[in-house]
Amino acid sequence: MKLLISLFGWVPVLGNALKMAYISQRVKEAISNVQVSNDKANEQAEESAKYFEQLAKETYDEHIQPQIDELDIPDIVSGKLKEKSVSTISNALKDKYLKKTNG
């Protein structure tokens, strides 16, 4: 994927699409690296939701933001990308935790 970005990253529409697909891959990898605290996740629903949201933001800042900076993604795109990434990470962590406790 990095090769495609280096070859076609300068192309206005194609370049941004490739970069967003690459970031999507990084989000999936970041989700698999996050450790969920059972104590925090077992709190009441509202507190648990806040915990997962905070964990998602920290994961984004640690794993995804450096990739976005490296690829020079425009601010107008990176803002939406951040919202979607944090939401995806948060929802995936909730699903992962619920599967873990129900299984």
Side-chain angles (χ1 to χ4, degrees):
M1 182 62 87
K2 277 284 215 182
L3 177 64
L4 290 174
I5 292 172
S6 65
L7 292 174
F8 300 110
W10 62 272
V11 179
V13 175
L14 179 62
N16 284 336
L18 288 172
K19 290 175 184 179
M20 293 192 38
Y22 178 75
I23 294 299
S24 177
Q25 284 182 323
R26 300 287 76 83
V27 168
K28 289 179 184 178
E29 289 176 7
I31 290 168
S32 66
N33 293 330
V34 174
Q35 298 295 321
V36 177
S37 168
N38 288 333
D39 295 337
K40 292 281 189 178
N42 287 330
E43 292 179 357
Q44 294 180 355
E46 185 176 314
E47 292 298 319
S48 181
K50 288 180 184 178
Y51 170 69
F52 284 122
E53 185 71 23
Q54 181 62 33
L55 196 56
K57 288 178 182 176
E58 290 172 4
T59 302
Y60 175 85
D61 290 340
E62 183 178 337
H63 295 283
I64 309 303
Q65 186 63 46
Q67 297 291 327
I68 288 175
D69 293 341
E70 179 183 321
L71 294 174
D72 289 330
I73 294 177
D75 290 339
I76 193 163
V77 176
S78 66
K80 284 288 191 187
L81 196 55
K82 179 177 182 175
E83 291 175 21
K84 182 66 175 172
S85 297
V86 169
S87 174
T88 301
I89 293 169
S90 178
N91 291 335
L93 291 177
K94 289 175 189 175
D95 290 345
K96 183 178 177 181
Y97 172 74
L98 290 176
K99 287 180 185 176
K100 186 194 282 186
T101 58
N102 291 335

